[in-house]
Amino acid sequence: MIRPGCTIGILGGGQLGRMMAIAAAQLGLKAHIYAPEENSPAFDVAAEVTVAAYEDEAALVRFAKAVDVVTYEFENVPSETAATLSAHTLLAPNAQALAVSQDRFLEKTFISGLGIPVAPFAAFSDAAELSEAVDRLGRPAVLKTRRFGYDGKGQVMIRPETDLAAAWDEVGHAPSIVEGFVPFEREVSVVAARTASGAFAAYDLCANEHRHHILDVTRVPANVSASTEAEAMRIAKAIGDALDYVGVLAVELFLVTAGGQERLVVNEIAPRVHNSGHWTLGGAVTSQFEQHIRAVCGWPLGATSRLGRVEMKNLIGHDADEWESLLAEPGAHLHLYGKAEARPGRKMGHVTRVFPESA
């Protein structure tokens, strides 16, 4: 039984680990951060830290034995790391969730196997198979590496004029898939939590806008039909149940509108707290970070009710230089991640604004 006073082990020292550690402290828990980078942002708010490689088995064993449960802030945890930790302590979410979400081909195969719509897709291993896949799926299409893609990295749009050999060269001939293009109206996501006992709670569906492939603004509610909202929740629960998932899970979806009808197509899943859920920090009764800690500890899940109409804006690069004016703005909730250097494309913080429902 994980009780107040116990220690949560967190793999990864970025902003997500930082906000999980803060949430843990508010619940009377300690956080022990494991990360290979010195001066990681999460170190500032942790009771203990370990600086070591994710492949350092001896360090991983010491870390596992020093904590009561291990969770993580990113999905690309090496499988060997997950296996080592699982042998010595609880790991939540489990290794299956990691394996499925790390590989786009496995992920889409898994989700489609549940009867949930995804974009048409095909894996390929050479130029000839790439050409055959594009011929079958049509153009436009999207070439994506199977692993290590985020914020637009590892992706190439295949347009009518795109040279396929050049596109594959661009991703370094890494194992990849081709996805048929989905003519979506908007990108939306649902952030939900599940406990080991199967308890489930989801936040309202939110609408996301990206700039340069990085999430820019999240707005909630997403202003979709009640049936679409319910379907998003059903999809998230089905995925969580099938993975025997523990923790916060994000499901990114395309909203497609045709003939006045809405339908959802899953883009990808993230087995962790998620950027599109940052609005819950100040915008919901229970933040996604507190919810994740509750879930991995086996505690009752918190209420997911919104506190109003909410907008979350990422602060990218030098956007964070406006911190003083944001602090002076009535009703704005500013969160800075403690990163030493602002760089283009780097997430430095976010600001959440909560408005009355009628505004």
Side-chain angles (χ1 to χ4, degrees):
M1 182 67 178
I2 296 172
R3 301 179 180 276
C6 290
T7 301
I8 311 295
I10 301 173
L11 285 180
Q15 64 264 22
L16 301 183
R18 178 188 177 98
M19 287 183 276
M20 282 193 283
I22 292 171
Q26 291 173 332
L27 295 173
L29 296 156
K30 299 180 179 67
H32 184 160
I33 307 293
Y34 186 110
E37 303 88 4
E38 295 185 4
N39 303 315
S40 294
F43 290 178
D44 295 341
V45 297
E48 297 181 66
V49 303
T50 294
V51 180
Y54 294 124
E55 298 78 17
D56 187 333
E57 185 173 354
L60 288 169
V61 171
R62 288 194 298 271
F63 170 67
K65 291 182 176 180
V67 303
D68 297 285
V69 62
V70 171
T71 189
Y72 41 86
E73 67 153 16
F74 67 108
E75 55 265 50
N76 290 315
V77 176
S79 58
E80 296 82 2
T81 301
T84 298
L85 293 170
S86 295
H88 296 279
T89 192
L90 296 171
L91 178 67
N94 60 40
Q96 182 192 8
L98 279 173
V100 167
S101 62
Q102 285 177 352
D103 186 310
R104 285 191 168 104
F105 179 71
L106 295 181
E107 180 181 66
K108 290 207 169 349
T109 301
F110 169 77
I111 295 169
S112 62
L114 299 176
I116 297 171
V118 299
F121 65 99
F124 65 91
S125 57
D126 56 37
E129 290 182 355
L130 169 59
S131 180
E132 291 170 4
V134 172
D135 286 345
R136 185 167 70 255
L137 298 176
R139 302 188 189 213
V142 187
L143 187 159
K144 297 182 178 181
T145 56
R146 288 177 59 162
R147 298 172 64 87
F148 305 117
Y150 66 97
D151 289 345
K153 297 177 175 64
Q155 299 186 26
V156 181
M157 189 73 181
I158 298 176
R159 306 182 188 279
E161 70 277 9
T162 300
D163 179 84
L164 295 182
W168 201 27
D169 287 344
E170 191 170 333
V171 298
H173 293 193
S176 302
I177 64 170
V178 176
E179 290 183 11
F181 183 73
V182 176
F184 62 91
E185 176 190 317
R186 282 183 291 161
E187 294 180 77
V188 296
S189 59
V190 58
V191 175
R194 186 180 183 276
T195 68
S197 66
F200 177 84
Y203 295 94
D204 288 353
L205 190 69
C206 55
N208 304 311
E209 295 179 9
H210 292 76
R211 180 167 51 123
H212 307 304
H213 302 290
I214 300 173
L215 181 63
D216 182 30
V217 178
T218 293
R219 294 183 177 89
V220 58
N223 295 320
V224 299
S225 68
S227 60
T228 297
E229 184 99 15
E231 176 64 4
M233 306 306 153
R234 185 197 70 79
I235 287 171
K237 187 174 189 305
I239 291 171
D241 288 345
L243 289 172
D244 196 18
Y245 194 86
V246 175
V248 163
L249 169 77
V251 183
E252 299 179 36
L253 309 112
F254 296 125
L255 177 69
V256 180
T257 304
Q261 299 296 310
E262 296 175 342
R263 65 184 180 92
L264 294 170
V265 177
V266 172
N267 179 24
E268 61 185 31
I269 60 177
R272 54 175 171 79
V273 290
H274 193 257
N275 197 171
S276 69
H278 287 4
W279 68 267
T280 63
L281 196 57
V285 173
T286 309
S287 78
Q288 66 164 343
F289 304 100
E290 178 181 333
Q291 195 79 299
H292 185 74
I293 297 299
R294 285 173 175 246
V296 302
C297 289
W299 294 2
L301 296 177
T304 57
S305 309
R306 280 186 293 113
L307 300 179
R309 183 172 57 83
V310 189
E311 178 182 291
M312 187 283 300
K313 174 79 167 70
N314 265 336
L315 302 176
I316 308 297
H318 289 286
D319 290 349
D321 294 345
E322 303 300 317
W323 60 269
E324 191 170 5
S325 62
L326 291 170
L327 285 173
E329 182 182 326
H333 302 266
L334 177 65
H335 301 274
L336 298 176
Y337 302 151
K339 296 181 179 180
E341 180 186 2
R343 297 194 298 267
R346 193 179 198 195
K347 296 172 183 174
M348 301 297 294
H350 71 271
V351 59
T352 300
R353 298 175 173 92
V354 182
F355 308 96
E357 289 283 5
S358 58

